[in-house]
Amino acid sequence: MLDALNDLGVESHLVVTKAALLTLSQETDLTADGLSAKATATHRLADVGASIASGSFRTLGMIVAPCSVRTMSEIATGVTSSLLTRAADVTLKERRPLVLMVRETPLHLGHLRTMTALAEMGAVIAPPLPALYARPASIQEMVDQSVGRALDLFGLDWSAVRRWDGLK
């Protein structure tokens, strides 16, 4: 996501949870510092006084990628115990796009009800699912497609996205 935003010349603000750092270490070769270097600005999770915690700080919206069920649930209930959930809450109250790339599965009824509540509040639930019609040749192409489709929700057109052009 950060690479795509850089490619598009879009300012990015990064907030990373402890669980996200664990996921990063297990699923990529990036370090926390390497990830932070890709963002325009990085904020500490506990810094609820950061610029992005205020509705007066103008943004296109917010993407939580990946989004854990815990983070999704905190956002849905208005819990703002961290900068991540505070910024998401502000995004919703300001009626800006909030895209949650929830990737946990399977989902139980409580998860589905939480997603419904978030959708009713204006959030978009966009699980990073592989678009097999794009015939991805690698995991990176699957990731890029999901990232690009999320960016579409902000009117941002990233060249890595393979567009559907009808049945062949």
Side-chain angles (χ1 to χ4, degrees):
M1 185 67 66
L2 294 170
D3 288 337
L5 292 170
N6 281 329
D7 287 352
L8 295 167
V10 176
E11 181 178 314
S12 61
H13 290 256
L14 177 67
V15 179
V16 183
T17 65
K18 289 178 185 175
L21 289 175
L22 179 61
T23 300
L24 182 75
S25 73
Q26 296 300 300
E27 297 181 0
T28 75
D29 294 328
L30 273 175
T31 63
D33 289 341
L35 179 67
S36 293
K38 293 175 178 280
T40 308
T42 301
H43 304 280
R44 290 179 296 108
L45 185 62
D47 187 6
V48 294
S51 57
I52 61 173
S54 173
S56 68
F57 184 79
R58 302 209 33 178
T59 68
L60 294 175
M62 182 175 177
I63 298 174
V64 181
C67 183
S68 69
V69 166
R70 176 185 176 159
T71 296
M72 176 186 74
S73 299
E74 286 186 14
I75 295 166
T77 59
V79 173
T80 58
S81 61
S82 73
L83 178 57
L84 179 65
T85 53
R86 170 64 186 164
D89 191 64
V90 165
T91 300
L92 286 173
K93 81 176 183 69
E94 296 293 330
R95 305 291 191 259
R96 296 177 184 141
L98 174 64
V99 177
L100 305 177
M101 298 185 80
V102 180
R103 63 173 223 173
E104 295 184 31
T105 187
L107 302 168
H108 61 61
L109 185 57
H111 300 146
L112 297 171
R113 286 184 176 150
T114 300
M115 288 179 181
T116 299
L118 283 161
E120 290 170 345
M121 287 184 242
V124 175
I125 310 300
L129 301 173
L132 298 179
Y133 67 82
R135 304 257 175 159
S138 68
I139 291 173
Q140 187 62 55
E141 285 183 9
M142 286 189 274
V143 170
D144 287 351
Q145 187 74 12
S146 290
V147 166
R149 295 293 288 130
L151 292 173
D152 282 349
L153 298 167
F154 296 83
L156 299 171
D157 186 15
W158 188 39
S159 62
V161 176
R162 292 188 184 165
R163 303 287 175 193
W164 174 255
D165 59 358
L167 293 175
K168 307 259 189 257

